[in-house]
Amino acid sequence: MLSAQLPAPRWEIFCSVVDNFGDIGICWRLSRQLVAEFRLTVTLWVDDLTSFQRLCPEVNCQAEQQQLSGVDVRHWHSDIDWQQQQPANVIIEALACTIPFAYQQQMAAQRLKPLWLNLEYLSAESWVEDCHTLGSPQPQLPLDKYFFFPGFTAKTGGLLCEQALVRTLDQFAQDRQAQQQFWQQLKLDDALQYSRRISLFAYGQQQLGTLFQRWQQAGSTTLCLIPVGQLAEQAMAICAGLKPGQPWRQGQLTLCILPFLPQPEYDKLLAACDINFVRGEDSIIRAQWAAKPFIWQIYRQDEQAHLDKLAAFFKRYTANWPGSLAAALWDFWLQWNTEQPLIDSWQQFESQLDEIKQKNHEWRQQLIANGDLATNLVRFVEKKIIMPRNFS
């Protein structure tokens, strides 16, 4: 009965945007879900409001503090006097960022020390299961930090997934009228007339032109949607006349540059397309919930370390697939990530899209069984600081 009288703890999430949108994408989704589904008080500290605004147009880049979707958004910068900040009960250091040491000192000075969590990058490597929720005493201050790993098994923290997301995506994918309205909002009234729609979100790709040529010569029509960014710039250099708002048509292929979509609209794009190219961390998670065939371009690291991470995910993802099907997909994934010739591997991948889609639905059910990241985080906090909550 005593624990039931304790107020729900305040949460703070620290996000440093490195060079893309995955960091803020993950943190913004998590913050919104904690507020909307668990009615928690959440502050999100972000050091790059301009990048944040690309995902959430309501962001005021000049505001030191603002309320968005129930989240208290604060601008994290070097002039903040951290000694004047009252630490929250739960503090999340997200995706390899570092909380200012002055604020750590404030944390250590509290009579009841905050619960400090390090929300790690997504990985399918086996060692993640052993490190998930481990505590780490800090050498300079009387504080413990706990590692929390997103992942693909029940021994990890799971993936970000709002309660109604999968049901909403499936309903949208089956509702032709809703899809037509979505395409009309993007000024693509004829999108449903194409044989297939492909979303192409990726880093730079040397073989992009050859893939475009293959699609131009295909036996059916393709509408390829490219969000503004590095790959869109490359596509515009390859295809003279292609511009935002000005599609490019050649043979069976139509290319269109899309504006950077807010997260809920990007989720719809994945559900409305037949094939999704995704990159980094946030979009690969959303592609798995859409359950359409997807190609992942993993974030590149020195000494090809990213290919080991890609292979670790692929091994889990295709564990129950026929060997020939897995091999066909891996060939294209590997060549896409290493910028090798794509035509032969694309043809093998393309010929098995129906079976891949079915396997993706089975994979999605496995992920759902692991529980979602936000719920697993809240459960962990409940165990650590006695936060009673109804999870029914």
Side-chain angles (χ1 to χ4, degrees), residues 183-254:
W183 293 120
Q184 287 173 342
Q185 291 170 4
L186 296 176
K187 299 180 180 179
L188 293 167
D189 294 8
D190 63 345
L192 292 178
Q193 297 176 21
Y194 289 83
S195 301
R196 67 182 176 195
R197 289 147 293 278
I198 298 175
S199 76
L200 184 54
F201 185 43
Y203 308 111
Q205 172 53 253
Q206 294 179 5
Q207 300 293 327
L208 186 62
T210 61
L211 198 57
F212 286 167
Q213 291 176 6
R214 176 71 183 89
W215 293 344
Q216 291 172 39
Q217 299 163 5
S220 56
T221 55
T222 296
L223 174 63
C224 178
L225 299 313
I226 309 174
V228 293
Q230 179 182 359
L231 198 78
E233 295 291 336
Q234 188 177 351
M236 287 187 284
I238 294 171
C239 305
L242 174 64
K243 297 177 182 178
Q246 185 173 320
W248 179 91
R249 296 178 175 86
Q250 187 72 38
Q252 298 283 64
L253 173 64
T254 298

Side-chain angles (χ1 to χ4, degrees), residues 7 28-30 51 82 99 122 154 170 187 198 213 222 235 246 256 276-277 304 308 323 332 373 380:
W28 180 228
R29 289 189 195 277
L30 175 61
S51 293
W82 293 103
I99 295 174
L122 178 65
D170 284 352
K187 299 180 180 179
I198 298 175
Q213 291 176 6
T222 296
Q246 185 173 320
C256 181
N276 293 308
F277 287 75
Q304 303 294 309
D308 292 336
F332 186 73
L373 181 68
F380 180 73

Side-chain angles (χ1 to χ4, degrees), residues 129-343:
E129 295 181 338
D130 297 327
C131 296
H132 180 57
T133 70
L134 283 183
S136 173
Q138 300 302 289
Q140 295 176 287
L141 295 168
L143 293 169
D144 291 330
K145 178 161 60 173
Y146 293 87
F147 295 95
F148 206 92
F149 283 85
F152 305 96
T153 73
K155 294 181 180 180
T156 68
L159 303 177
L160 276 173
C161 183
E162 300 83 358
Q163 280 186 0
L165 177 66
V166 171
R167 181 175 69 255
T168 299
L169 291 179
D170 284 352
Q171 290 174 346
F172 178 75
Q174 296 167 13
D175 188 335
R176 191 174 179 85
Q177 182 176 356
Q179 290 181 51
Q180 180 63 25
Q181 292 173 352
F182 170 74
W183 293 120
Q184 287 173 342
Q185 291 170 4
L186 296 176
K187 299 180 180 179
L188 293 167
D189 294 8
D190 63 345
L192 292 178
Q193 297 176 21
Y194 289 83
S195 301
R196 67 182 176 195
R197 289 147 293 278
I198 298 175
S199 76
L200 184 54
F201 185 43
Y203 308 111
Q205 172 53 253
Q206 294 179 5
Q207 300 293 327
L208 186 62
T210 61
L211 198 57
F212 286 167
Q213 291 176 6
R214 176 71 183 89
W215 293 344
Q216 291 172 39
Q217 299 163 5
S220 56
T221 55
T222 296
L223 174 63
C224 178
L225 299 313
I226 309 174
V228 293
Q230 179 182 359
L231 198 78
E233 295 291 336
Q234 188 177 351
M236 287 187 284
I238 294 171
C239 305
L242 174 64
K243 297 177 182 178
Q246 185 173 320
W248 179 91
R249 296 178 175 86
Q250 187 72 38
Q252 298 283 64
L253 173 64
T254 298
L255 298 178
C256 181
I257 306 298
L258 294 183
F260 212 93
L261 299 177
Q263 287 179 326
E265 297 304 297
Y266 181 67
D267 289 341
K268 287 183 179 180
L269 178 68
L270 296 175
C273 287
D274 303 290
I275 303 170
N276 293 308
F277 287 75
V278 289
R279 73 180 205 192
E281 182 164 331
D282 182 55
S283 59
I284 177 61
I285 295 172
R286 307 314 278 192
Q288 290 171 83
W289 298 132
K292 301 294 184 67
F294 61 87
I295 298 93
W296 184 24
Q297 188 181 40
I298 194 168
Y299 187 77
R300 295 163 182 159
Q301 295 179 301
D302 294 337
E303 299 179 359
Q304 303 294 309
H306 57 292
L307 295 182
D308 292 336
K309 297 180 183 295
L310 183 72
F313 169 72
F314 193 85
K315 182 178 180 180
R316 290 194 186 278
Y317 166 53
T318 61
N320 298 320
W321 290 30
S324 58
L325 181 65
L329 184 58
W330 176 248
D331 284 347
F332 186 73
W333 275 32
L334 184 60
Q335 290 174 11
W336 180 251
N337 277 274
T338 56
E339 300 189 276
Q340 300 299 311
L342 299 168
I343 300 304

